């Protein structure tokens, strides 16, 4: 008997035999064999071979007009041999056409189908075999469309559940509803962390927990006469098989499935349902992906550290105390904007930029993406972005580095350069004690300090060597606005901004603020 379980089947769900019998346009009549609502058809095939066994894949509705039947077939074992070979090949049902060879279905064929449990359909003369095959494929297409619609709706509802305040519980509830069963999340130690749906009997529940251990990293996959295979084996022992990502079983009529969640943390999704409908595996896989995102990041070391750092900052801790949780001593701040004019970058684009720069510490706002990058990683130009990069600094200088990155980005936009870095060379200003330099800067810039737009415009204008157009581009304002603001600065500061010495002194003061 061929191994029909490994035989490829069409990329469409099978259809119940009852659905084909319900087609009034075909006029098919069930005359022998069992009437089982679970009987399904994968395809239709026509053959007039006396032994169709070599040409069947399994799951067919075999159609024949009886051309192969000899005249003396009714007195021997011909029909028993014929039907037994169809059953052995995995045929799902037999359709017998009444035209043009036979006016009635042979009684011996009816008896053989009853004996071997093969459903037998009478095909009336007005119904062609091609019409039956076309009806089969039409029903399959309808079933496929219904399956795709069901899966799509389930994906949308699962995604919406993942955005709720209690995402894990909401995803489990939605999954249990969609598969008409029970869903449970197991922790790395095998304990149930959350569940939803109507719980099955004790037997399937226990079996599902055992199945979850099969897909859990490091879990027991097989058990021999001496019990589970030990975790460590001698060097000479064969390499154990890789841990599967999913596993299925059936206990007491309940269909079980276990899915290992991504991230390698040991979380497992278990599903138990009274039946296994087409699309259930896809729906459960989507839920597994969402739960992987919901559990993996929060339970990972980096995710937990970032959460702890945020909480401590909100509770009043200083950056110097929080930085060790992030694992680095020095950090670089990157400000970035899309190179092309358009809408502000969304969260997905910002995440992609952060991944390219090697950091998950990302903030979006005001049309600018800010990324805190570990100091040992050198930010490089990113296609489609304009970036400004600060110097690598310690936690106590994060605020200063943020300003450096902002000014570097403004310069990059004005000069249309993909990436501009803040200069790290020591300057003459570094020779002045910081306290004295800051006091001088506050006094010099006091007339415009209360108007941030004037301060920022003067800073940008000086950094771009007094270029009106470049400053307008960097600040996203009209060039006349730049002229008006610079004129206002000159009046309030009572300074000649055309004087190089005045510009140099103002630049020194602006760097200290």
């Amino acid at each position: 008997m061929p191994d029909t379980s490994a035989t490829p089947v069409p990329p469409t769900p099978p259809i119940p035999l009852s659905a084909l019998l319900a087609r009034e346009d075909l006029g098919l009549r069930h005359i022998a064999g069992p009437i089982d609502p679970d009987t399904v058809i994968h395809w239709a095939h026509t053959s007039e071979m006396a032994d169709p066994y070599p040409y069947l894949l399994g799951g067919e509705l075999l159609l024949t007009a009886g051309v192969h039947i000899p005249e003396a077939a009714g007195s021997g074992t011909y029909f028993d041999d014929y039907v037994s070979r169809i059953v052995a090949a995995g045929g799902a049902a037999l359709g017998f056409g009444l035209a043009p060879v036979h006016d009635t279905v042979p009684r011996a064929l009816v008896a053989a189908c009853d004996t071997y449990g093969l459903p037998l359909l009478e095909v009336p003369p007005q119904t062609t075999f091609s019409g039956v095959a076309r009806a089969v494929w039409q029903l399959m297409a309808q079933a496929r469309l219904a399956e795709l619609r069901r899966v799509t709706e389930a994906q949308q509802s699962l995604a919406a559940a993942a955005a709720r305040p209690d995402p894990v519980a909401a995803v489990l509830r939605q999954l249990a509803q969609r598969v008409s069963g029970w869903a449970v999340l197991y922790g790395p130690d095998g304990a149930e962390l959350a569940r939803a749906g109507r719980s099955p009997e004790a037997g399937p529940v226990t079996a599902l927990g055992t199945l979850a251990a099969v897909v859990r990293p490091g879990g027991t996959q097989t058990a021999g006469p001496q019990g589970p295979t030990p975790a460590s084996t001698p060097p000479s022992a064969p390499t154990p098989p890789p841990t599967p990502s999913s596993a299925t079983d059936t206990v007491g009529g309940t269909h079980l499935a276990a899915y290992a969640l991504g991230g390698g943390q040991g979380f497992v999704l278990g599903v138990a349902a009274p039946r296994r409908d087409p699309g259930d595996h896809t729906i459960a896989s989507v839920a597994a992906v969402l739960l992987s995102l919901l559990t993996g990041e929060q339970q990972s070391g980096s995710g937990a550290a970032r959460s702890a750092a945020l909480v401590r900052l909100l509770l009043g801790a200083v950056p110097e105390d929080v930085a060790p949780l992030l694992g680095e001593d020095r950090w670089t701040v990157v400000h970035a904007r899309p190179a092309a004019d358009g809408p502000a970058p969304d969260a997905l684009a910002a995440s992609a930029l952060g991944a390219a720069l090697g950091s998950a510490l990302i903030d979006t706002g005001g049309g600018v993406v800010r990324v805190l990058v570990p100091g040992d990683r050198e930010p490089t130009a990113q296609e489609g972005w304009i970036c400004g990069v600060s110097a690598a600094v310690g936690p106590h200088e994060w605020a200063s580095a943020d300003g450096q990155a902002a000014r570097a980005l403004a310069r990059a936009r004005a000069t249309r350069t993909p990436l501009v870095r803040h200069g790290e060379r020591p300057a003459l200003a570094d020779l002045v004690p910081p306290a004295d330099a800051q006091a001088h800067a506050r006094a010099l810039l006091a007339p415009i300090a209360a108007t941030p737009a004037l301060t920022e415009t003067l800073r940008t204008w000086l950094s771009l060597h007094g270029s009106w157009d470049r400053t307008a581009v960097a600040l996203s304002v009209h060039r006349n606005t730049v002229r008006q603001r610079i004129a206002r600065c000159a009046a309030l500061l009572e300074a000649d901004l055309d004087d190089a010495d005045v510009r140099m002194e103002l630049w020194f003061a602006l760097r200290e603020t």
Side-chain angles (χ1 to χ4, degrees):
M1 178 176 177
D3 181 12
T4 57
S5 64
T7 302
V9 297
T12 54
I15 62 169
L17 180 59
S18 58
L20 192 64
L21 289 170
R23 288 281 297 257
E24 296 181 357
D25 58 320
L26 298 178
L28 303 179
R29 188 165 66 95
H30 180 265
I31 60 175
I35 303 178
D36 187 352
D38 293 332
T39 300
V40 296
I41 298 173
H42 287 277
W43 34 41
H45 177 64
T46 301
S47 174
E48 297 299 339
M49 302 293 294
D51 181 13
Y53 178 95
Y55 308 99
L56 300 182
L57 296 176
E60 296 95 345
L61 166 62
L62 179 62
L63 299 170
T64 179
V67 177
H68 56 88
I69 300 176
E71 292 183 2
S75 60
T77 62
Y78 180 85
F79 286 112
D80 283 346
D81 295 340
Y82 177 70
V83 173
S84 65
R85 293 289 283 174
I86 296 175
V87 173
L94 176 65
F96 193 89
L98 297 184
V101 180
H102 297 270
D103 295 332
T104 61
V105 180
R107 293 182 179 180
L109 178 60
V110 175
C113 287
D114 281 331
T115 300
Y116 288 95
L118 179 67
L120 176 61
L121 311 183
E122 180 187 85
V123 183
Q126 69 273 15
T127 301
T128 62
F129 287 172
S130 59
V132 175
R134 180 177 60 185
V136 170
W137 287 109
Q138 286 175 345
L139 290 171
M140 285 185 172
Q142 294 172 7
R144 180 58 172 170
L145 180 60
E147 176 190 351
L148 292 175
R149 183 181 295 111
R150 174 173 175 258
V151 170
T152 300
E153 292 175 351
Q155 289 176 333
Q156 293 173 346
S157 62
L158 287 169
R164 293 174 183 168
D166 55 343
V168 172
V171 168
L172 291 177
R173 285 195 300 270
Q174 193 60 231
L175 174 60
Q177 178 182 344
R178 292 290 172 174
V179 301
S180 301
W182 184 59
V184 57
L185 177 64
Y186 295 102
D189 58 353
E192 292 185 11
L193 301 181
R195 61 164 65 186
R198 179 176 298 179
S199 177
E201 298 178 355
V205 171
T206 302
L208 186 58
T210 303
L211 195 65
V214 174
V215 301
R216 183 176 294 110
T220 302
Q221 296 185 40
T222 58
Q226 305 300 323
T229 303
S232 59
T233 56
S236 59
T239 303
T243 302
S245 59
S246 64
T248 59
D249 196 4
T250 302
V251 176
T254 300
H255 298 279
L256 310 177
Y259 301 85
L261 302 190
Q265 302 297 320
F267 292 90
V268 176
L269 168 64
V271 181
R275 63 181 186 274
R276 187 171 294 157
D277 293 332
D280 281 357
H281 175 72
T282 302
I283 294 172
S285 297
V286 171
V289 171
L290 293 173
L291 290 172
S292 297
L293 297 174
L294 294 171
T295 59
E297 177 63 16
Q298 293 301 322
Q299 298 299 327
S300 66
S302 60
R306 287 196 293 272
S307 296
L310 174 61
V311 170
R312 294 189 185 185
L313 283 174
L314 292 174
L315 296 179
V318 296
E320 291 85 342
D321 296 337
V322 170
L325 292 173
L326 303 178
E328 296 290 339
D329 295 330
R330 295 174 66 80
W331 294 81
T332 300
V333 179
V334 177
H335 281 213
R337 295 188 63 163
D341 293 334
D346 55 23
L348 183 61
S351 297
L353 175 64
L357 294 174
S359 176
L361 300 174
I362 307 164
D363 173 55
T364 58
V368 176
V369 178
R370 300 190 300 175
V371 185
L372 196 58
V373 180
D376 59 351
R377 299 181 182 179
E378 187 72 15
T380 58
Q382 302 296 320
E383 184 177 357
W385 294 88
I386 295 179
C387 302
V389 182
S390 75
V393 298
H396 63 285
E397 296 180 291
W398 280 352
S400 176
D402 186 52
Q404 294 175 2
R407 292 190 291 273
L409 174 61
R411 187 172 183 84
R413 293 185 64 208
T415 58
R416 293 178 173 81
T417 304
L419 185 143
V420 170
R421 302 179 189 276
H422 177 76
E424 292 184 333
R425 295 185 307 171
L428 291 176
D430 297 329
L431 302 178
V432 180
D436 294 343
Q438 293 173 6
H440 175 71
R442 286 194 298 270
L444 183 62
L445 300 174
I448 63 173
T451 309
L454 295 180
T455 305
E456 189 60 26
T457 301
L458 180 60
R459 186 197 312 275
T460 305
W461 183 72
L462 290 174
S463 71
L464 296 173
H465 311 291
S467 171
W468 308 108
D469 292 332
R470 289 184 178 182
T471 303
V473 171
L475 296 177
S476 299
V477 298
H478 195 274
R479 65 194 306 271
N480 289 341
T481 302
V482 176
R483 288 183 175 275
Q484 293 171 3
R485 290 179 181 177
I486 295 301
R488 181 63 174 164
C489 289
L492 292 174
L493 295 173
E494 298 180 356
D496 181 6
L497 297 183
D498 292 330
D499 189 316
D501 291 335
V502 172
R503 290 191 183 191
M504 183 174 61
E505 186 177 11
L506 289 173
W507 180 248
F508 169 82
L510 289 167
R511 289 191 58 185
E512 299 299 325
T513 60

